[in-house]
Amino acid sequence: MKEKLLHYWTEFGVWIYFILYILINILYGDMISSYYEKIPKPIITSALFLLLIYTTYKAFTPTKENPENLLIPSENDFQRKENNVISLIIIIPAFILYFLISDSFNVNYIIIFLILLVNTKNETSLNRTASFQIKKGLITFKNGKEERIFNTSEITSLEVFPNQIILFKENSQELISFLELEKEDFQNIKTYFNKRVPEISINLAQPVTQ
Protein backbone atom coordinates (compact mmCIF):
# COMPACT_ATOMS: atom_id res chain seq x y z
CA MET A 1 0.00 0.00 0.00
CA LYS A 2 2.84 2.40 0.82
CA GLU A 3 4.38 1.73 -2.60
CA LYS A 4 1.07 2.49 -4.31
CA LEU A 5 0.67 5.76 -2.42
CA LEU A 6 4.27 6.72 -3.21
CA HIS A 7 3.60 5.99 -6.87
CA TYR A 8 0.53 8.24 -6.99
CA TRP A 9 2.35 11.07 -5.22
CA THR A 10 5.18 10.72 -7.76
CA GLU A 11 2.80 10.81 -10.72
CA PHE A 12 0.93 13.88 -9.43
CA GLY A 13 4.19 15.61 -8.49
CA VAL A 14 4.40 17.27 -11.93
CA TRP A 15 1.02 18.91 -11.42
CA ILE A 16 1.96 20.00 -7.89
CA TYR A 17 5.12 21.66 -9.22
CA PHE A 18 3.06 23.29 -11.98
CA ILE A 19 0.59 24.74 -9.46
CA LEU A 20 3.47 25.99 -7.29
CA TYR A 21 5.01 27.59 -10.36
CA ILE A 22 1.75 29.45 -11.08
CA LEU A 23 1.47 30.65 -7.47
CA ILE A 24 5.11 31.79 -7.32
CA ASN A 25 4.68 33.58 -10.64
CA ILE A 26 1.59 35.40 -9.34
CA LEU A 27 3.17 36.40 -6.03
CA TYR A 28 6.78 37.03 -7.05
CA GLY A 29 6.63 37.18 -10.85
CA ASP A 30 7.72 40.82 -11.13
CA MET A 31 10.66 40.36 -8.74
CA ILE A 32 11.87 37.24 -10.54
CA SER A 33 11.52 38.95 -13.92
CA SER A 34 13.64 41.89 -12.76
CA TYR A 35 16.46 39.57 -11.69
CA TYR A 36 16.10 37.51 -14.87
CA GLU A 37 16.42 40.58 -17.07
CA LYS A 38 19.79 41.39 -15.48
CA ILE A 39 21.29 38.05 -16.59
CA PRO A 40 22.99 38.34 -20.01
CA LYS A 41 20.98 36.35 -22.56
CA PRO A 42 24.03 34.54 -24.03
CA ILE A 43 24.73 33.04 -20.59
CA ILE A 44 21.17 31.69 -20.33
CA THR A 45 21.30 30.30 -23.86
CA SER A 46 24.69 28.68 -23.25
CA ALA A 47 23.48 27.07 -20.00
CA LEU A 48 20.37 25.71 -21.69
CA PHE A 49 22.43 24.41 -24.61
CA LEU A 50 24.82 22.59 -22.25
CA LEU A 51 21.80 21.11 -20.45
CA LEU A 52 20.44 19.93 -23.82
CA ILE A 53 23.77 18.23 -24.63
CA TYR A 54 23.84 16.53 -21.21
CA THR A 55 20.19 15.42 -21.50
CA THR A 56 20.76 14.02 -24.99
CA TYR A 57 23.90 12.19 -23.85
CA LYS A 58 22.05 10.62 -20.90
CA ALA A 59 19.07 9.69 -23.06
CA PHE A 60 21.09 7.83 -25.68
CA THR A 61 23.66 6.23 -23.40
CA PRO A 62 22.76 2.55 -22.81
CA THR A 63 22.08 1.70 -19.19
CA LYS A 64 24.47 -0.87 -17.81
CA GLU A 65 22.52 -3.79 -16.43
CA ASN A 66 23.77 -6.14 -13.76
CA PRO A 67 23.75 -9.66 -15.28
CA GLU A 68 23.10 -11.06 -11.80
CA ASN A 69 19.73 -9.27 -11.68
CA LEU A 70 16.53 -10.15 -13.48
CA LEU A 71 14.43 -7.09 -14.29
CA ILE A 72 10.66 -7.45 -14.48
CA PRO A 73 7.93 -4.82 -14.89
CA SER A 74 5.62 -3.63 -12.14
CA GLU A 75 2.27 -2.03 -12.91
CA ASN A 76 3.86 1.31 -11.96
CA ASP A 77 6.24 0.92 -14.92
CA PHE A 78 3.37 0.64 -17.39
CA GLN A 79 1.54 3.55 -15.74
CA ARG A 80 4.69 5.65 -15.96
CA LYS A 81 5.10 4.77 -19.63
CA GLU A 82 1.49 5.73 -20.40
CA ASN A 83 1.85 9.04 -18.55
CA ASN A 84 5.03 9.87 -20.49
CA VAL A 85 3.32 9.11 -23.80
CA ILE A 86 0.46 11.44 -22.81
CA SER A 87 2.99 14.13 -21.83
CA LEU A 88 4.68 13.78 -25.22
CA ILE A 89 1.34 14.12 -26.99
CA ILE A 90 0.64 17.32 -25.02
CA ILE A 91 4.13 18.88 -25.26
CA ILE A 92 4.57 18.67 -29.04
CA PRO A 93 1.25 20.33 -30.11
CA ALA A 94 1.61 22.94 -27.35
CA PHE A 95 5.01 24.10 -28.57
CA ILE A 96 3.98 23.92 -32.23
CA LEU A 97 0.98 26.13 -31.40
CA TYR A 98 3.25 28.54 -29.53
CA PHE A 99 5.64 28.83 -32.47
CA LEU A 100 2.73 29.44 -34.84
CA ILE A 101 1.14 32.24 -32.82
CA SER A 102 4.33 33.81 -31.48
CA ASP A 103 5.53 36.99 -33.16
CA SER A 104 9.13 36.64 -32.02
CA PHE A 105 11.72 33.91 -32.45
CA ASN A 106 13.12 32.78 -29.09
CA VAL A 107 15.97 30.28 -29.28
CA ASN A 108 15.78 29.59 -25.55
CA TYR A 109 12.21 28.31 -25.85
CA ILE A 110 13.28 26.03 -28.69
CA ILE A 111 16.09 24.59 -26.56
CA ILE A 112 13.68 24.07 -23.64
CA PHE A 113 11.29 22.30 -26.01
CA LEU A 114 14.09 20.01 -27.22
CA ILE A 115 15.11 19.21 -23.62
CA LEU A 116 11.54 18.26 -22.72
CA LEU A 117 11.19 16.28 -25.94
CA VAL A 118 14.39 14.28 -25.35
CA ASN A 119 13.46 13.58 -21.72
CA THR A 120 9.95 12.45 -22.59
CA LYS A 121 11.00 10.48 -25.67
CA ASN A 122 13.50 8.52 -23.59
CA GLU A 123 10.78 7.53 -21.12
CA THR A 124 8.17 6.33 -23.63
CA SER A 125 9.71 2.85 -23.74
CA LEU A 126 8.97 0.39 -20.95
CA ASN A 127 11.50 0.65 -18.14
CA ARG A 128 11.44 -2.45 -15.93
CA THR A 129 12.26 -1.43 -12.36
CA ALA A 130 11.35 -4.48 -10.24
CA SER A 131 14.05 -7.13 -9.94
CA PHE A 132 15.09 -10.53 -8.65
CA GLN A 133 18.58 -11.45 -7.54
CA ILE A 134 19.65 -14.94 -6.49
CA LYS A 135 22.92 -14.97 -4.63
CA LYS A 136 24.45 -16.97 -1.78
CA GLY A 137 21.31 -19.00 -1.19
CA LEU A 138 19.02 -15.96 -1.00
CA ILE A 139 16.35 -14.63 -3.35
CA THR A 140 16.13 -10.84 -3.14
CA PHE A 141 13.14 -9.06 -4.68
CA LYS A 142 13.19 -5.27 -5.07
CA ASN A 143 10.48 -2.92 -6.26
CA GLY A 144 11.12 0.74 -5.53
CA LYS A 145 11.84 1.03 -1.82
CA GLU A 146 10.39 -2.41 -1.15
CA GLU A 147 12.95 -5.17 -0.55
CA ARG A 148 12.08 -8.73 0.39
CA ILE A 149 14.50 -11.59 0.98
CA PHE A 150 13.70 -15.30 0.82
CA ASN A 151 15.87 -18.31 1.58
CA THR A 152 16.14 -20.57 -1.49
CA SER A 153 16.12 -23.67 0.69
CA GLU A 154 12.63 -22.76 1.93
CA ILE A 155 11.06 -22.21 -1.51
CA THR A 156 9.66 -25.29 -3.27
CA SER A 157 8.03 -23.64 -6.32
CA LEU A 158 6.93 -20.42 -7.98
CA GLU A 159 3.56 -19.83 -9.58
CA VAL A 160 3.60 -16.92 -12.01
CA PHE A 161 0.48 -14.89 -12.81
CA PRO A 162 0.41 -11.83 -15.08
CA ASN A 163 -0.06 -9.58 -12.05
CA GLN A 164 1.66 -11.48 -9.23
CA ILE A 165 4.06 -14.26 -8.25
CA ILE A 166 3.41 -16.76 -5.47
CA LEU A 167 6.42 -18.35 -3.75
CA PHE A 168 5.42 -21.63 -2.15
CA LYS A 169 7.06 -23.00 0.98
CA GLU A 170 6.34 -26.37 2.60
CA ASN A 171 3.68 -25.01 4.95
CA SER A 172 3.09 -21.44 3.74
CA GLN A 173 3.41 -19.08 0.81
CA GLU A 174 4.64 -15.58 0.00
CA LEU A 175 2.93 -13.19 -2.40
CA ILE A 176 4.65 -10.67 -4.68
CA SER A 177 1.99 -8.42 -6.20
CA PHE A 178 1.54 -5.22 -8.25
CA LEU A 179 3.29 -6.74 -11.27
CA GLU A 180 2.33 -6.64 -14.94
CA LEU A 181 4.17 -9.51 -16.60
CA GLU A 182 4.22 -10.34 -20.30
CA LYS A 183 5.11 -13.57 -22.04
CA GLU A 184 8.72 -12.45 -22.39
CA ASP A 185 8.96 -11.85 -18.64
CA PHE A 186 7.66 -15.31 -17.81
CA GLN A 187 10.27 -16.93 -20.04
CA ASN A 188 12.98 -14.78 -18.46
CA ILE A 189 11.85 -15.75 -14.94
CA LYS A 190 11.80 -19.44 -15.87
CA THR A 191 15.26 -19.29 -17.45
CA TYR A 192 16.74 -17.24 -14.61
CA PHE A 193 15.49 -19.51 -11.82
CA ASN A 194 16.16 -22.78 -13.69
CA LYS A 195 19.76 -21.74 -14.23
CA ARG A 196 20.44 -20.70 -10.62
CA VAL A 197 18.05 -22.81 -8.53
CA PRO A 198 16.87 -25.75 -10.68
CA GLU A 199 15.36 -27.42 -7.61
CA ILE A 200 12.63 -24.73 -7.56
CA SER A 201 9.90 -25.47 -10.11
CA ILE A 202 8.37 -22.62 -12.10
CA ASN A 203 4.71 -22.83 -13.14
CA LEU A 204 2.67 -20.52 -15.33
CA ALA A 205 -0.66 -20.10 -13.57
CA GLN A 206 -2.55 -18.79 -16.59
CA PRO A 207 -1.77 -17.56 -20.09
CA VAL A 208 0.40 -14.44 -20.21
CA THR A 209 -0.30 -12.39 -23.32
CA GLN A 210 2.12 -10.25 -25.29
Side-chain angles (χ1 to χ4, degrees):
M1 180 61 68
K2 290 182 179 179
E3 292 296 322
K4 297 284 288 184
L5 291 174
L6 177 62
H7 164 68
Y8 289 127
W9 275 112
T10 301
E11 295 300 332
F12 286 112
V14 174
W15 297 105
I16 293 174
Y17 285 127
F18 179 74
I19 293 172
L20 288 175
Y21 169 78
I22 297 296
L23 291 175
I24 291 173
N25 190 54
I26 293 173
L27 297 174
Y28 305 104
D30 293 338
M31 183 186 301
I32 294 173
S33 296
S34 65
Y35 284 114
Y36 176 79
E37 292 297 330
K38 295 177 182 178
I39 302 175
K41 296 302 182 289
I43 293 180
I44 297 175
T45 302
S46 300
L48 288 174
F49 185 72
L50 290 175
L51 181 59
L52 174 61
I53 293 175
Y54 173 76
T55 302
T56 305
Y57 170 77
K58 292 289 289 185
F60 291 96
T61 300
T63 303
K64 293 183 179 180
E65 297 182 359
N66 186 347
E68 296 298 320
N69 292 348
L70 171 66
L71 297 178
I72 59 175
S74 69
E75 60 184 26
N76 288 353
D77 298 333
F78 281 89
Q79 183 64 47
R80 191 177 298 110
K81 175 185 175 182
E82 292 174 4
N83 290 343
N84 287 329
V85 170
I86 293 173
S87 297
L88 187 63
I89 294 173
I90 294 174
I91 288 173
I92 293 178
F95 270 88
I96 291 176
L97 180 62
Y98 168 78
F99 294 141
L100 290 175
I101 65 177
S102 177
D103 295 330
S104 59
F105 179 83
N106 193 316
V107 67
N108 290 345
Y109 288 164
I110 294 178
I111 296 175
I112 292 173
F113 166 68
L114 293 175
I115 291 172
L116 293 174
L117 187 63
V118 169
N119 272 324
T120 309
K121 174 65 171 63
N122 188 47
E123 297 296 332
T124 53
S125 58
L126 179 63
N127 183 24
R128 292 170 167 82
T129 58
S131 68
F132 278 108
Q133 183 184 71
I134 301 175
K135 192 174 183 180
K136 297 181 179 180
L138 299 176
I139 301 172
T140 302
F141 173 76
K142 293 182 180 180
N143 187 8
K145 292 185 177 181
E146 176 188 8
E147 179 174 319
R148 300 171 65 184
I149 300 176
F150 313 96
N151 196 315
T152 56
S153 62
E154 297 178 351
I155 306 299
T156 59
S157 64
L158 266 69
E159 195 164 9
V160 183
F161 293 82
N163 63 339
Q164 63 186 22
I165 297 174
I166 301 176
L167 293 82
F168 289 93
K169 300 180 179 179
E170 290 188 3
N171 301 314
S172 63
Q173 61 187 42
E174 300 283 351
L175 176 65
I176 294 176
S177 55
F178 304 121
L179 303 176
E180 194 163 340
L181 305 177
E182 298 178 326
K183 185 175 182 180
E184 175 189 357
D185 301 303
F186 169 72
Q187 296 299 332
N188 290 338
I189 291 171
K190 188 176 182 67
T191 301
Y192 183 81
F193 275 81
N194 285 344
K195 181 179 180 180
R196 290 165 174 78
V197 280
E199 65 273 15
I200 298 178
S201 63
I202 313 296
N203 303 306
L204 179 61
Q206 61 187 65
V208 179
T209 58
Q210 289 284 6

